[in-house]
Amino acid sequence: MSAKANILQALRQGLANAPGPLGDSDYQAAIAPYAFTHADAVTRVKQLLCAAHAEVIDSTHDTWPADLTRVLQQTGMPATLLAPQTDCTLALRAYWADRHDVPSLRLFDQAIDCWKADLFQIDAALTECEGAIAATGSLIIWPTPQAPRTLSLVPPLHIVLWQTRSVWNTLFEAMQQAEWASRLPTNALLVSGPSKTADIQQTLAYGAHGPKRLIVLAIDEPCP
């Protein structure tokens, strides 16, 4: 079997349990938007993320620090990079205070040139996301000066907190309802799985241009 056939076979096997492709074109989606129920949209995002080699863990507002700690313990307790002063950082620091069975914590609180060598030795990073898109199973990562793109790009393990109440049918709907036009950052990212490439000898490899592993803590809440 050729390298190309091997890659296509691996991709098809990964999609075996994914929802079927949407029947409408992007143009039709713009004029007659998809209308998943909230529950169906959340389920679809989780299925598509898993099909793209991500790992999804159901969690809650009360349990996510414990769920995250367990994940990091299972992966060998890597040092974890956080943005300073975000809500999730404050919650995690409070949970980890005075505990000795938790990973070490690093804050992204200095210019990258001052600690580039150390930064590239950190194994995991935690970020939040704006929400998700049901049509494609994508998470919307919204870099800020406090949580820059580097957080979700450099460490090989990227962990994302996703509040499942924030889910839209399409990217077009997210841009309209979340009023992107009035608050666009320098870049907004759509992440649908770990970084992967088949550029080198047509062999599918994960982690070539970004995190090798993506774990999503899906914080389920009632539909608003």
Side-chain angles (χ1 to χ4, degrees):
M1 185 178 292
S2 68
K4 179 180 179 181
N6 281 329
I7 293 171
L8 292 175
Q9 184 182 50
L11 291 173
R12 287 167 181 150
Q13 288 175 344
L15 292 172
N17 297 322
L22 297 172
D24 297 330
S25 68
D26 291 342
Y27 173 73
Q28 288 171 316
I31 61 174
Y34 303 114
F36 300 108
T37 66
H38 178 78
D40 287 346
V42 171
T43 299
R44 181 178 176 84
V45 171
K46 292 177 180 178
Q47 289 177 331
L48 287 172
L49 284 168
C50 290
H53 214 66
E55 302 160 59
V56 179
I57 298 171
D58 291 325
S59 190
T60 69
H61 271 296
D62 294 332
T63 64
W64 76 260
D67 293 334
L68 172 64
T69 303
R70 185 178 65 256
V71 167
L72 292 173
Q73 290 171 337
Q74 291 171 348
T75 57
M77 295 180 65
T80 303
L81 183 64
L82 301 170
Q85 302 303 318
T86 62
D87 290 342
C88 73
T89 296
L90 297 176
L92 191 60
R93 295 184 74 176
Y95 179 79
W96 283 0
D98 301 324
R99 294 184 59 141
H100 302 290
D101 60 341
V102 296
S104 60
L105 184 152
R106 299 293 303 270
L107 296 179
F108 198 105
D109 56 0
Q110 54 187 315
I112 188 171
D113 288 339
C114 297
W115 67 311
K116 188 179 296 183
D118 288 341
L119 174 63
F120 280 81
Q121 300 303 314
I122 296 176
D123 295 318
L126 172 70
T127 72
E128 300 175 76
C129 71
E130 281 281 296
I133 298 171
T136 58
S138 304
L139 301 174
I140 303 169
I141 306 296
W142 197 271
T144 66
Q146 294 73 34
R149 169 69 173 122
T150 307
L151 275 169
S152 60
L153 180 65
V154 174
L157 170 58
H158 181 201
I159 303 170
V160 182
L161 291 183
W162 168 40
Q163 312 277 351
T164 60
R165 66 181 177 186
S166 297
V167 60
W168 295 275
N169 292 307
T170 63
L171 174 61
F172 181 71
E173 182 180 287
M175 295 174 70
Q176 282 194 316
Q177 295 185 3
E179 300 179 343
W180 285 27
S182 64
R183 59 188 188 93
L184 272 176
T186 54
N187 58 72
L189 312 170
L190 302 180
V191 174
S192 302
S195 170
K196 60 180 179 292
T197 182
D199 289 349
I200 304 172
Q201 297 183 335
Q202 295 187 326
T203 299
L204 184 62
Y206 289 90
H209 305 299
K212 185 177 183 178
R213 189 177 176 191
L214 174 67
I215 296 177
V216 180
L217 291 177
I219 300 177
D220 289 316
E221 297 175 312
C223 181

